Amino acid sequence: MRLPARSKSYMIPEYSLTGDLLSYITCGLQYRYQNKGTLPPSKPVQRWFGEFIHGVMEEAYLDWKYQKKEFPWDWKEDIRPIEDEIDLRLQVRGLYPHDEDLFFSINQPGSTLTLDDLNEHDHKKLASARAEKAINIWGKHLFPLIDSSELLIKGVRPMPNYDKNISRSNYYGINGVVDVLTSAKINKIHEQSNLFNYDNKIINFIKKNLEETDIEDYEIIIDYKGMKRPPVKVTKPQAEDKWENHKQQILTYSWLRSKQENAKTISAGIILYLNELVPSKEDLALIKDEIINDLTDIPTDDEFEDDIQLIFDWQEDDKMPNLSDEFKIARSIRFIKINEEERSKALKKFDKVVCDIENSLIKEMKGCKIQDAWKADADERTCLACDFKTFCKNNSDITKDFKIP
């Protein structure tokens, strides 16, 4: 009796919205080395802080949910233990706060620092200051509205430009993680806020931006960004349009959420840019430049006249100006209305990104050199911070001043 040959294994490629698609948009070649290879960045500050702030907000929400802690929270007593737990989790995954000005870590291998050092000195560095502000400014408004926290949403789409003789699969998977607000909780808290004279800033923001609709049962997606608010338009060649990419990410999240069994109508998405609550000097220099060149959507009229003047008067060697919480909150929150036509465009763009990634992978599998198979078309800022700039021939104009040590 002749046994049949084993059929080929069938695997659907899986792509994460942030870990794959947005990373590839930043730079295809950098994405290949960091995500598809074994060359993690030597100083993954942006990635570390993004993971850190997501983890802190999730644990803070769970603490609030089960312990009903009242705001404001004390940093050393309530927030620092959460930071240490998240820091330890990230180190297990090989992510460390390499920038000494960013975070005070007692978990790093070889560190002699202890909690006594923390109690003896105020080591609230930049990441901790942002975590504290994120919890105490947004937590009291956001946490009561959350219906589902850190919800994994997944979907499957047809592989773009599928060719059975070339393509790895006829479908690809896409996933992301979001917090979800529901109209039921929004309306309930809104009624309570009117009753007890409690001003919920997120509800006010939703009521201001969400048009009246006949839909009574709807959802709003929340996403956190460990970065400043991006400019509304790009002025430099090859610069990544983060403003548009973040919008398309939310639109794609809304499509993924709509595919879940218990999903309701997705009416909008909200992004919280948490660096805006405690901007660094680099952030503030960029904010100043964007205001001068009319690259921000935040009004610069009478409402924030004092803050704008403080920013105009500030120089990079000066101490950070004391900006108002109202100005920081306005820059921190972004509302994105879900529109079917816009969502369809966003999905097509991510299909195009997946197609480019798949084509590069197939080229490499067929023997093409890595730098010939993957595009390197990042902006100057990304290139100058990249660990692979010394041998990236595709960016010779930007990296020509660098030599291999």
Side-chain angles (χ1 to χ4, degrees):
M1 177 178 171
R2 188 172 181 178
L3 296 176
R6 177 185 291 181
S7 60
K8 276 187 175 182
S9 59
Y10 182 76
M11 181 185 70
I12 296 177
E14 186 84 10
Y15 288 98
S16 160
L17 266 170
T18 51
D20 288 295
L21 301 184
L22 292 185
S23 295
Y24 179 84
I25 289 173
T26 300
C27 176
L29 186 60
Q30 186 185 78
Y31 165 80
R32 163 60 179 85
Y33 286 132
Q34 292 182 1
N35 294 56
K36 296 297 181 184
T38 56
L39 295 172
S42 61
K43 295 185 178 181
V45 174
Q46 181 68 40
R47 183 181 174 189
W48 179 88
F49 182 67
E51 299 268 4
F52 172 81
I53 201 66
H54 262 273
V56 166
M57 292 298 285
E58 165 65 6
E59 287 301 314
Y61 167 71
L62 293 175
D63 275 8
W64 172 86
K65 181 178 180 180
Y66 294 110
Q67 300 181 32
K68 299 300 179 184
K69 291 182 181 178
E70 293 187 2
F71 295 99
W73 290 10
D74 179 77
W75 176 63
K76 288 184 179 179
E77 182 179 341
D78 301 314
I79 300 175
R80 182 61 201 197
I82 295 175
E83 293 180 1
D84 287 333
E85 181 180 346
I86 301 304
D87 176 38
L88 194 55
R89 288 185 200 172
L90 294 179
Q91 291 193 29
V92 170
R93 295 169 48 196
L95 292 173
Y96 298 89
H98 290 272
D99 188 340
E100 292 183 357
D101 293 326
L102 183 66
F103 186 69
F104 170 78
S105 177
I106 63 173
N107 299 311
Q108 201 149 347
S111 173
T112 58
L113 300 172
T114 67
L115 280 175
D116 291 334
D117 297 315
L118 180 65
N119 293 327
E120 187 176 341
H121 305 287
D122 185 1
H123 282 89
K124 194 194 300 179
K125 295 191 175 181
L126 189 57
S128 294
R130 287 171 174 168
E132 180 188 32
K133 286 289 187 181
I135 290 170
N136 283 329
I137 286 182
W138 283 125
K140 62 183 178 182
H141 303 288
L142 175 64
F143 292 168
L145 303 178
I146 293 177
D147 187 72
S148 300
S149 173
E150 290 289 293
L151 180 68
L152 176 62
I153 48 179
K154 304 180 72 173
V156 176
R157 291 183 59 78
M159 180 66 72
N161 299 330
Y162 171 70
D163 185 330
K164 65 178 181 180
N165 297 316
I166 299 175
S167 302
R168 295 196 298 159
S169 170
N170 54 345
Y171 291 94
Y172 78 91
I174 184 169
N175 65 72
V177 177
V178 295
D179 288 348
V180 176
L181 314 184
T182 62
S183 56
K185 285 204 169 186
I186 291 170
N187 293 332
K188 180 181 178 182
I189 299 298
H190 185 51
E191 291 174 4
Q192 292 177 349
S193 65
N194 290 335
L195 184 63
F196 298 105
N197 196 27
Y198 166 63
D199 184 31
N200 187 296
K201 294 186 181 299
I202 290 182
I203 290 179
N204 292 343
F205 190 76
I206 292 171
K207 297 292 183 183
K208 177 182 177 181
N209 289 277
L210 190 62
E211 299 173 0
E212 290 293 331
T213 176
D214 295 331
I215 302 171
E216 294 183 359
D217 210 7
Y218 62 86
E219 293 179 343
I220 292 178
I221 290 170
I222 297 283
D223 188 31
Y224 311 107
K225 296 291 184 188
M227 59 182 293
K228 65 171 282 296
R229 189 185 196 91
V232 296
K233 51 188 174 183
V234 173
T235 58
K236 294 182 179 180
Q238 292 186 309
E240 179 187 352
D241 191 349
K242 292 181 180 178
W243 182 261
E244 183 63 23
N245 289 341
H246 293 170
K247 175 184 175 181
Q248 292 177 351
Q249 181 186 6
I250 289 293
L251 290 167
T252 307
Y253 276 151
S254 74
W255 177 81
L256 288 173
R257 175 57 182 157
S258 71
K259 298 301 177 183
Q260 311 302 303
E261 185 177 353
N262 60 341
K264 303 173 178 65
T265 300
I266 316 298
S267 294
I270 290 176
I271 299 178
L272 297 177
Y273 295 105
L274 299 179
N275 285 24
E276 292 287 351
L277 303 177
V278 186
S280 65
K281 285 194 172 184
E282 182 183 8
D283 291 334
L284 195 59
L286 291 171
I287 292 170
K288 182 177 181 179
D289 180 71
E290 289 162 13
I291 293 173
I292 291 172
N293 292 290
D294 194 25
L295 300 177
T296 177
D297 63 316
I298 301 301
T300 57
D301 53 16
D302 295 343
E303 184 180 0
F304 301 121
E305 183 179 2
D306 292 341
D307 296 286
I308 301 302
Q309 192 59 51
L310 285 172
I311 293 173
F312 282 164
D313 293 341
W314 174 80
Q315 301 298 322
E316 291 191 43
D317 292 334
D318 298 341
K319 291 183 178 180
M320 295 293 283
N322 188 22
L323 303 175
S324 69
D325 282 348
E326 289 74 17
F327 179 72
K328 293 176 182 178
I329 287 170
R331 286 194 54 86
S332 175
I333 189 168
R334 179 185 176 188
F335 186 89
I336 297 170
K337 184 77 171 67
I338 303 301
N339 175 285
E340 283 297 332
E341 184 179 350
E342 292 289 320
R343 184 158 73 178
S344 178
K345 291 179 182 178
L347 290 168
K348 287 178 181 177
K349 179 164 185 179
F350 278 120
D351 283 342
K352 172 65 168 57
V353 174
V354 169
C355 183
D356 290 344
I357 295 174
E358 288 290 316
N359 286 341
S360 294
L361 282 169
I362 291 168
K363 284 181 184 178
E364 189 178 338
M365 289 165 63
K366 289 184 175 181
C368 186
K369 293 180 180 179
I370 291 177
Q371 293 202 36
D372 294 330
W374 298 83
K375 293 180 182 178
D377 51 3
D379 58 30
E380 182 177 357
R381 191 179 178 197
T382 299
C383 288
L384 292 177
C386 182
D387 289 334
F388 318 117
K389 59 179 175 281
T390 53
F391 55 85
C392 179
K393 67 179 183 181
N394 293 323
N395 283 288
S396 56
D397 290 340
I398 293 176
T399 60
K400 62 185 178 182
D401 295 331
F402 292 87
K403 296 181 179 179
I404 300 175

